[in-house]
């Protein structure tokens, strides 16, 4: 599965960073950048999102039982950078679990 995800992630990342092409995925996809709690490595991950307000981004985790990245945001949460409208915004993400669903709720710094 990871073999397919890496090329897809690279394409989405490139689209979001391109001023001419970002409109193809902007408003539905973003790139989260965070430092892994255990690995200490920087992770760049394209994800689907929705706005929860001007300073809030909600990332719904599909198939959370098959993914581990969101666990970096459990407990008190974790710092994260979100690429929005071609600009990186700093924030803090916290996992919210509700009826088997997992969402990373990101509050952006003004």
């Amino acid at each position: 599965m990871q073999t397919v995800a890496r090329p897809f992630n690279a394409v989405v990342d490139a689209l979001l960073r391109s001023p001419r092409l970002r409109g193809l995925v902007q408003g539905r996809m973003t790139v989260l950048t965070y430092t892994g709690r255990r690995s200490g490595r920087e992770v760049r991950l394209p994800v689907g999102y929705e706005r929860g307000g001007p300073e809030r981004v909600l990332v719904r985790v599909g198939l959370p039982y098959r993914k581990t990245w969101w666990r970096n945001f459990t407990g008190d949460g974790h710092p994260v950078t979100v690429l929005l409208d071609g600009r990186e915004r700093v924030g803090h993400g916290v996992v919210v679990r509700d009826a088997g669903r997992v969402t990373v709720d990101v509050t952006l710094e003004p």
Side-chain angles (χ1 to χ4, degrees):
M1 184 62 136
Q2 197 60 20
T3 307
V4 175
R6 281 192 185 113
F8 174 79
N9 290 352
V11 168
V12 172
D13 190 12
L15 285 172
L16 286 166
R17 291 189 175 285
S18 168
R20 296 181 69 204
L21 300 175
R22 86 171 61 117
L24 296 172
V25 291
Q26 185 173 315
R28 297 183 308 273
M29 300 286 298
T30 187
V31 176
L32 295 183
T33 304
Y34 62 93
T35 301
R37 284 186 175 179
R38 290 172 61 181
S39 70
R41 293 187 312 218
E42 181 178 272
V43 177
R44 295 182 52 74
L45 183 66
V47 295
Y49 78 99
E50 64 184 67
R51 294 300 290 256
E55 303 301 325
R56 194 164 163 226
V57 172
L58 303 171
V59 178
R60 305 215 189 283
V61 181
L63 304 173
Y65 57 90
R66 295 184 64 189
K67 299 174 183 167
T68 59
W69 67 266
W70 59 269
R71 294 178 186 151
N72 285 283
F73 301 97
T74 57
D76 292 334
H78 196 69
V80 63
T81 302
V82 181
L83 183 63
L84 296 171
D85 303 323
R87 203 174 113 213
E88 291 193 339
R89 301 274 313 269
V90 175
H92 189 82
V94 177
V95 166
V96 177
R97 296 180 196 192
D98 181 33
R101 293 184 202 166
V102 175
T103 302
V104 178
D105 188 341
V106 179
T107 301
L108 301 170
E109 292 180 4

